[in-house]
Amino acid sequence: MASLSRPRAFNPRKTSLDIERENFEKSQNVAITKAINQLEAPVKQKHVRSAIIGTFQQQGAHIFWSISLRLPTLEDRIVAWKFCHVLHKVLREGHPLCLVHSQRHRNDLDEIGKLWGHLKEGYGKLIRLYTLLLMTKLDFHRRNPRFPGHLGVTQDELESIGSNDINNYFEMSVEMFDYLDGILDLQSAIFGSLDMSRSNSMTSAGQCRLAPLIPCIQDASKLYDYCVKILFRLHSSLPPDTLQGHRDRFLKQFKELKQFYQNTNALQYFKDLITVPPLPENPPNFLIQANLHTYVTQEVIVPPEEEEPPSEGHLIDTSEPIIDRAESQQSFLSPSPSHMELLAERDNLIKHLQTETERLRGEIHKVVNQKDKDIIKLQDQITSLETELATKDSELVQERQIKEDLFNQASAVAQSQDSEQKMRDEKFNKIKDLYVKLREEHIQLLRQKADIEKKLNVGYKKVQELESENVQMEAQMKELKLEHTLESEKIQQSSASQNMELEMLRKDKELFNMETEVLKKTVEDAFRKEKEINESLKLVVTEKENLNTEVALLSGRIGELQEELKLLTAQNVSDVKGIVAKSVSESKDIINNAIHEVENPALSAVTCSPDYFKSLSYGCLESLQEINGVSYTQPSEIIRTSIRLSHRSATFLLQGRATSNSSPDITFGERMTEECKTLGQLVLDVLECLLNETPVTDKVESTKAQLISVTSLADTISGSLKASPEDLADMIEREMAAMDGAIEEAANRIQDMLSKSRQADSGIKLELNEKILDSCTTLMAAIRVLIQKSRLLQGEIVAQGKGTASAKEFYKRNHQWTDGFISAAKAVAVAANFLLGAADKVVSGQGKLEQLVVGAQEIAASTAQLVVASRVKADRKSHNLEQLSQASKAVTNATGGVVATVKDCSQLMDEAELDTSNITLHQAKRLEMDAQVRVLELEKELEQERLRLSALRRHHYQLAGEGEGWDVQNIN
């Protein structure tokens, strides 16, 4: 069977919170279902109170609406009516968020109202008006959210809501008028649906309709008070003609509200439920501002519901706060063994006192409950008897009215029947006389038959017609006789039924009189029982006074124990403070050790990923946030938060040093290490504040800012690591080797060109070639020395800056400097090749001397770039740097020598070419003009070449920037 058991994953255990929430929802469901039921009776306030308490426990009305929407509000009119009443109470007295949560259910209210609004009479009309009132209330609170559900605000709060803006007061007054109109329409419909005799106000059905008027009266009283104050304020700022509509509307509502209060005070049902103050005889005169000082706010008083006497509760709960404080202190205090016996004796005495208190509480509770039950039972009996008596009175009045109506109807029917019988008799007599007359005429005609034989045919026809008329008259007489007989029978039957009904009414009256006598006797018995209960209650009060005396003695004993407990508590508090101080000091030692370890060179080989380092920052921020909210009255919290902060911060600092080791830029890594040390000092300041019990908010905020700053440095490292450049060390070695090769090759080729020139040339040309090639050889030798010094300085820079890392790691971290060094080496090699080509062309007679000048200047600029790149990372006092500077000066001097040699050679060539000894005047003038033309052409070409040079340099910088990651837009 064990194999058939379900896994634990399919049977998850419910936590205590889940069970508590389920119980809470069940209790709310039961309370709301009992409050909103199908019985035509007023809503029980205890169920409504449970629903209201539930809104405060749940911080809103979600559960209330989820349960209410499942009720049959669209099927049963009583349920819909009670739902509106309970919702009104919840909006008034429930949690403030109930108004907010109910806004989304406005359409549900509108649907309920529209559905029942099709019934023009009874509850249908009332439900529609009530839903309109609730929607108006929701709209009012949506526009004025600073008004609470019960509308109770002070004069200062009312002025704050209006913001001293006359437009706000104007709109607020209109909204309050609309709210009051909804209340007045509802009360008018409720009173209109009741019987005018008001006897049904004590019946369950009447009370079901009247109960919602209580919250309506409370709202109307507040709205009337605010309307008066706002209208006085408006009249003080606006002309009277502008507010004529407001005054007319207020006057109309004043009359209706006064009638509403009068109708309410006249009903017995409201006597014990609410006290409605009467309105003044005349409305306030807003045109006279002095009337505002005579205006008195009328307060509606709702008597509190009967509960247990507070004095008993105080007697029972006297020792509980002391025990709670002791238990709260025992949560983190540990008394010394010397006080264990005293504490055990105190606990035993407290338990004994608690036992006695519980026993006395139980006895008092039983007596009070029995008294309340008896009183409630008797009150219910009295209420039911009074209700039955009022019902019987109303029924007797109705039966008497019905009896009088039946008598009046019977007499009216009898009179109408007599008048009809007379008319039939008269008609019958007329027909009978006509028949007699016709018969006599017929006899006379027969006697005169012989005399009128000539007129026989005409007379015969006439006789036939008369006979037919006679037959018709006889038939009509028979029908009239039959109708007369039937009407007589009906009258007799109606008279008999009326006699029977009168007899039944007499019997009902006798039964009602008997029931009235029985009810009177029952009421007398109830009063007699109430008197007996009052006597027994006096005995209970006497016993209660005796118990009070005993409790006073016990309270004195508890006071003595409290003094002993205070002494123990003071000693334990001092011990706890010492423990807290030692714990915080140990936390500071942990941070100091972490700061010391950050400076330890042994950690240089340890690395950490930036992502893991960033994940540690969340825990540190959480610990700082907890310290920001810690209370110095809770030593356990101080110990816990300080230990957590120290351990998390120490881990963060060590991992920060490890993360800085992974940075390609050593300087950046050293900066990150210093930032971590600064963070550690700030954490020490926070712990020092905890130790001295001073405010830590400012220190925590600065520590958070430093923590975020260090985390952002890790992001920078992460970004630099994502870009994976090639092996810069190999590249720089390659470029340096290429540069050495280019310089060596240039020097060798210059020597070859010098040898060839000595073999092939002679005279001035040989002299020029030797000068040019000698100056180039000198320049190449100076560049070779410069490169050697640069290599020595480069090695020194790598040795000083890499630390325990390799040279490749150093180049990778300082990739920008490395890229600049490589670029300078490339430029030197390219300039050397250019100079070599220019020298070859000049010696061979195919080039120009200016090309040598340009090549020499390019070499000087490239070597200067190489020197600057080396000087950036070198130590200022380095011997190799000094030698490199001297080599750079030698290159500059050699470059100047090349330029000077080129100029000398150029002058020698110009003197040789320009021979003016044999030139005539005409030839000289012509040559001068040609020379001017040539000068202009050369100037034009020079300008064009300068523009071309500028464009080439710009393009060169752009390409170099794209290759090395420069900001190209800034260069342009």
Side-chain angles (χ1 to χ4, degrees):
M1 296 301 292
S3 61
L4 297 176
S5 62
R6 297 175 64 188
R8 181 175 295 179
F10 293 96
N11 293 298
R13 292 184 178 179
K14 294 182 179 180
T15 63
S16 60
L17 293 176
D18 295 336
I19 296 173
E20 183 179 359
R21 181 167 181 81
E22 287 182 0
N23 294 333
F24 170 72
E25 292 179 356
K26 288 180 181 179
S27 63
Q28 286 293 296
N29 190 11
V30 170
I32 295 174
T33 306
K34 288 184 178 180
I36 307 174
N37 53 33
Q38 298 176 352
L39 299 178
E40 192 173 5
V43 177
K44 292 188 177 297
Q45 295 302 315
K46 62 179 181 180
H47 302 316
V48 178
R49 186 165 58 252
S50 299
I52 293 172
I53 294 173
T55 61
F56 284 94
Q57 294 178 353
Q58 202 255 340
Q59 301 294 316
H62 293 302
I63 291 181
F64 171 79
W65 276 105
S66 64
I67 297 172
S68 300
L69 292 177
R70 295 196 296 266
L71 297 174
T73 54
L74 300 177
E75 290 81 17
D76 193 293
R77 64 185 189 278
I78 303 300
V79 174
W81 177 249
K82 288 187 174 181
F83 165 71
C84 293
H85 183 195
V86 175
L87 177 59
H88 196 176
K89 295 281 287 184
V90 169
L91 293 179
R92 275 188 52 82
E93 304 173 12
H95 194 273
L97 289 179
C98 292
L99 292 168
V100 180
H101 296 164
S102 300
Q103 296 290 340
R104 67 191 66 176
H105 299 286
R106 189 180 185 277
N107 293 333
D108 297 330
L109 284 174
D110 194 18
E111 290 179 2
I112 295 172
K114 287 180 178 178
L115 174 67
W116 291 108
H118 294 295
L119 300 178
K120 302 300 181 182
E121 300 295 333
Y123 279 99
K125 180 181 179 182
L126 300 181
I127 293 171
R128 180 53 181 165
L129 291 174
Y130 210 165
T131 54
L132 290 176
L133 173 60
L134 293 176
M135 288 189 292
T136 303
K137 181 177 180 64
L138 291 176
D139 292 339
F140 177 82
H141 288 287
R142 177 173 53 82
R143 297 188 187 98
N144 304 279
R146 295 180 62 182
F147 276 97
H150 54 78
L151 299 176
V153 295
T154 62
Q155 180 65 27
D156 294 337
E157 291 174 346
L158 182 62
E159 293 178 357
S160 176
I161 293 172
S163 301
N164 291 325
D165 189 353
I166 202 66
N167 296 320
N168 294 340
Y169 284 116
F170 192 94
E171 293 176 1
M172 197 187 305
S173 63
V174 174
E175 292 170 358
M176 289 182 178
F177 284 152
D178 295 338
Y179 198 167
L180 264 177
D181 284 337
I183 295 174
L184 294 174
D185 292 341
L186 177 61
Q187 65 86 21
S188 177
I190 291 175
F191 282 113
S193 65
L194 297 176
D195 183 25
M196 295 307 296
S197 64
R198 304 184 186 276
S199 60
N200 57 359
S201 66
M202 298 304 295
T203 62
S204 298
Q207 292 174 1
C208 182
R209 298 190 183 191
L210 292 172
L213 291 180
I214 295 176
C216 291
I217 292 171
Q218 293 174 315
D219 287 350
S221 174
K222 295 293 184 183
L223 292 173
Y224 170 79
D225 181 52
Y226 300 151
C227 286
V228 171
K229 295 177 180 178
I230 291 174
L231 284 178
F232 272 111
R233 182 66 177 268
L234 290 174
H235 279 79
S236 65
S237 302
L238 296 176
D241 296 338
T242 305
L243 301 172
Q244 182 62 41
H246 280 60
R247 290 196 300 274
D248 295 339
R249 194 172 181 183
F250 177 83
L251 182 61
K252 178 177 176 293
Q253 290 183 349
F254 176 84
K255 295 178 181 178
E256 293 178 358
L257 190 62
K258 187 174 183 180
Q259 184 63 37
F260 176 26
Y261 285 178
Q262 291 176 355
N263 294 338
T264 304
N265 289 326
L267 294 179
Q268 181 65 30
Y269 173 67
F270 294 102
K271 295 295 184 183
D272 298 328
L273 297 178
I274 189 171
T275 302
V276 183
L279 294 178
E281 291 296 329
N282 298 318
N285 188 357
F286 300 109
L287 300 178
I288 303 175
Q289 288 294 321
N291 287 355
L292 177 62
H293 302 289
T294 60
Y295 170 75
V296 179
T297 301
Q298 301 292 334
E299 293 290 340
V300 174
I301 300 174
V302 178
E305 299 176 2
E306 295 184 1
E307 296 179 355
E308 294 183 5
S311 59
E312 297 171 359
H314 290 311
L315 289 174
I316 292 170
D317 298 333
T318 300
S319 61
E320 290 180 0
I322 301 170
I323 296 171
D324 290 341
R325 288 195 296 269
E327 291 176 354
S328 64
Q329 293 176 355
Q330 289 292 332
S331 62
F332 60 89
L333 297 180
S334 56
S336 60
S338 61
H339 301 124
M340 292 300 295
E341 295 181 359
L342 182 60
L343 291 176
E345 181 182 356
R346 184 208 63 181
D347 292 338
N348 293 331
L349 182 58
I350 290 175
K351 289 180 181 179
H352 176 69
L353 293 176
Q354 286 180 342
T355 304
E356 291 295 324
T357 305
E358 289 295 333
R359 184 180 63 80
L360 296 175
R361 179 191 296 174
E363 294 178 359
I364 294 174
H365 189 64
K366 289 180 181 179
V367 173
V368 173
N369 286 342
Q370 185 64 33
K371 179 206 69 173
D372 293 340
K373 289 179 181 179
D374 293 339
I375 292 175
I376 292 172
K377 183 177 180 181
L378 292 175
Q379 288 178 348
D380 291 340
Q381 290 179 359
I382 292 171
T383 304
S384 61
L385 292 175
E386 290 178 351
T387 303
E388 292 178 2
L389 182 60
T391 304
K392 293 299 182 180
D393 290 337
S394 62
E395 291 177 355
L396 180 60
V397 172
Q398 291 177 359
E399 289 172 355
R400 288 176 181 174
Q401 186 67 31
I402 292 172
K403 177 181 176 182
E404 292 177 359
D405 293 341
L406 290 175
F407 275 121
N408 294 331
Q409 291 177 3
S411 60
V413 170
Q415 290 177 0
S416 62
Q417 289 177 354
D418 292 339
S419 60
E420 291 178 356
Q421 184 65 31
K422 289 179 181 179
M423 291 175 64
R424 292 191 186 95
D425 292 341
E426 291 177 357
K427 189 174 182 181
F428 176 75
N429 292 331
K430 289 180 180 179
I431 295 173
K432 183 178 179 181
D433 294 339
L434 181 60
Y435 174 73
V436 172
K437 184 178 180 181
L438 291 174
R439 189 169 180 272
E440 289 178 355
E441 290 178 355
H442 178 65
I443 294 171
Q444 186 178 359
L445 290 171
L446 289 176
R447 288 177 181 175
Q448 296 176 357
K449 182 180 180 182
D451 296 335
I452 55 173
E453 288 180 352
K454 294 180 180 179
K455 302 178 180 178
L456 181 60
N457 293 329
V458 177
Y460 182 73
K461 291 180 180 180
K462 188 174 182 180
V463 170
Q464 288 181 350
E465 293 176 358
L466 293 173
E467 287 180 353
S468 62
E469 291 180 359
N470 189 12
V471 171
Q472 292 177 359
M473 291 295 180
E474 289 179 353
Q476 290 179 359
M477 288 179 64
K478 291 180 180 180
E479 291 177 359
L480 291 173
K481 288 181 179 179
L482 181 61
E483 290 178 0
H484 179 69
T485 304
L486 293 174
E487 292 293 336
S488 300
E489 291 178 354
K490 288 181 179 180
I491 291 172
Q492 291 177 359
Q493 290 178 0
S494 63
S495 300
S497 64
Q498 289 178 0
N499 292 331
M500 291 177 64
E501 290 178 357
L502 291 174
E503 187 65 25
M504 292 176 64
L505 289 173
R506 292 192 189 96
K507 292 181 179 180
D508 290 341
K509 182 179 179 182
E510 293 176 357
L511 292 174
F512 176 73
N513 293 332
M514 293 175 62
E515 290 178 358
T516 304
E517 293 297 329
V518 172
L519 291 174
K520 289 181 179 179
K521 184 177 179 181
T522 306
V523 171
E524 292 176 356
D525 294 339
F527 279 117
R528 186 174 62 257
K529 289 181 180 179
E530 183 179 4
K531 185 177 180 181
E532 294 175 356
I533 290 173
N534 289 331
E535 293 177 355
S536 62
L537 183 60
K538 292 180 180 179
L539 297 176
V540 172
V541 171
T542 304
E543 294 177 358
K544 177 184 173 183
E545 293 176 354
N546 296 332
L547 292 174
N548 290 339
T549 304
E550 295 179 1
V551 170
L553 296 175
L554 295 176
S555 299
R557 179 56 180 166
I558 291 172
E560 296 175 0
L561 294 176
Q562 281 181 333
E563 294 297 329
E564 297 176 0
L565 184 61
K566 286 180 180 178
L567 297 176
L568 293 175
T569 302
Q571 183 178 358
N572 290 332
V573 166
S574 62
D575 295 339
V576 168
K577 286 184 177 179
I579 294 172
V580 170
K582 291 180 180 179
S583 175
V584 176
S585 299
E586 186 66 23
S587 299
K588 291 178 65 178
D589 293 338
I590 292 173
I591 299 298
N592 286 321
N593 184 46
I595 295 173
H596 177 71
E597 290 296 324
V598 166
E599 299 175 352
N600 190 354
L603 287 177
S604 300
V606 180
T607 59
C608 173
S609 65
D611 294 334
Y612 176 72
F613 177 68
K614 287 166 59 180
S615 66
L616 296 176
S617 65
Y618 302 123
C620 295
L621 288 173
E622 181 182 358
S623 299
L624 288 171
Q625 190 64 32
E626 289 180 355
I627 285 183
N628 205 9
V630 75
S631 175
Y632 293 123
T633 59
Q634 298 177 347
S636 60
E637 288 296 317
I638 297 175
I639 295 172
R640 182 181 64 83
T641 53
S642 63
I643 291 174
R644 179 178 295 181
L645 177 63
S646 61
H647 281 282
R648 289 183 177 179
S649 300
T651 304
F652 185 83
L653 294 176
L654 295 176
Q655 295 299 330
R657 170 61 193 277
T659 305
S660 68
N661 293 335
S662 63
S663 174
D665 190 352
I666 295 177
T667 304
F668 186 86
E670 293 174 353
R671 174 190 168 194
M672 185 173 179
T673 302
E674 292 299 323
E675 293 292 334
C676 291
K677 291 164 64 178
T678 303
L679 176 62
Q681 292 297 329
L682 291 175
V683 174
L684 288 176
D685 294 340
V686 173
L687 294 175
E688 186 66 23
C689 292
L690 289 179
L691 184 61
N692 298 330
E693 296 185 356
T694 57
V696 297
T697 304
D698 296 335
K699 298 294 183 181
V700 168
E701 294 300 327
S702 60
T703 306
K704 285 183 180 179
Q706 181 65 20
L707 181 65
I708 294 172
S709 176
V710 174
T711 306
S712 64
L713 296 178
D715 292 334
T716 305
I717 293 176
S718 177
S720 63
L721 291 177
K722 288 181 181 178
S724 56
E726 60 177 315
D727 193 351
L728 298 177
D730 296 339
M731 183 182 294
I732 196 170
E733 291 297 331
R734 226 176 17 252
E735 294 299 332
M736 293 295 290
M739 182 178 63
D740 289 342
I743 297 300
E744 190 67 29
E745 182 182 359
N748 294 331
R749 287 191 61 184
I750 289 172
Q751 292 297 327
D752 293 339
M753 286 188 290
L754 182 59
S755 300
K756 290 179 180 180
S757 177
R758 288 174 180 174
Q759 293 176 2
D761 299 327
S762 62
I764 296 177
K765 187 174 182 181
L766 178 60
E767 182 182 358
L768 294 176
N769 291 340
E770 287 179 349
K771 287 182 178 182
I772 291 171
L773 293 176
D774 288 341
S775 63
C776 290
T777 302
T778 303
L779 177 60
M780 290 301 171
I783 291 172
R784 188 180 301 168
V785 173
L786 177 68
I787 292 172
Q788 293 175 357
K789 300 302 180 182
S790 175
R791 277 183 173 277
L792 293 175
L793 182 60
Q794 178 190 356
E796 180 182 345
I797 292 171
V798 174
Q800 291 179 354
K802 69 179 183 179
T804 58
S806 62
K808 292 183 179 180
E809 188 67 23
F810 174 80
Y811 288 131
K812 187 176 181 181
R813 292 182 184 178
N814 300 274
H815 60 90
Q816 292 182 349
W817 174 78
T818 306
D819 291 340
F821 200 87
I822 292 172
S823 176
K826 288 181 179 179
V828 171
V830 172
N833 291 327
F834 181 80
L835 179 64
L836 180 63
D840 189 12
K841 290 180 180 180
V842 170
V843 171
S844 62
Q846 298 176 357
K848 298 180 180 180
L849 295 176
E850 288 78 5
Q851 293 178 347
L852 286 174
V853 175
V854 172
Q857 290 177 349
E858 284 296 324
I859 287 180
S862 300
T863 54
Q865 181 182 355
L866 186 65
V867 171
V868 171
S870 301
R871 188 178 297 168
V872 169
K873 289 290 183 179
D875 188 6
R876 299 301 179 190
K877 300 179 180 180
S878 173
H879 179 67
N880 291 325
L881 177 61
E882 184 178 356
Q883 291 183 351
L884 180 64
S885 299
Q886 294 176 358
S888 176
K889 292 179 181 179
V891 171
T892 303
N893 295 330
T895 302
V898 171
V899 175
T901 301
V902 169
K903 290 182 179 180
D904 292 339
C905 293
S906 177
Q907 291 177 359
L908 291 174
M909 290 175 66
D910 291 340
E911 291 175 356
E913 290 179 359
L914 185 60
D915 187 8
T916 58
S917 59
N918 296 323
I919 297 177
T920 63
L921 177 62
H922 180 71
Q923 291 175 347
K925 187 64 175 177
R926 184 175 180 180
L927 291 174
E928 181 181 355
M929 294 174 64
D930 292 339
Q932 290 178 355
V933 172
R934 181 60 180 166
V935 167
L936 293 175
E937 290 176 355
L938 291 176
E939 287 178 352
K940 184 177 180 180
E941 291 177 2
L942 176 62
E943 185 67 25
Q944 292 177 353
E945 289 300 323
R946 282 178 176 172
L947 294 175
R948 184 167 173 268
L949 175 62
S950 176
L952 289 174
R953 284 179 175 174
R954 197 159 46 241
H955 185 64
H956 171 72
Y957 291 155
Q958 184 175 359
L959 293 177
E962 291 177 355
E964 298 182 9
W966 299 347
D967 191 352
V968 179
Q969 185 176 3
N970 293 336
I971 294 173
N972 292 334

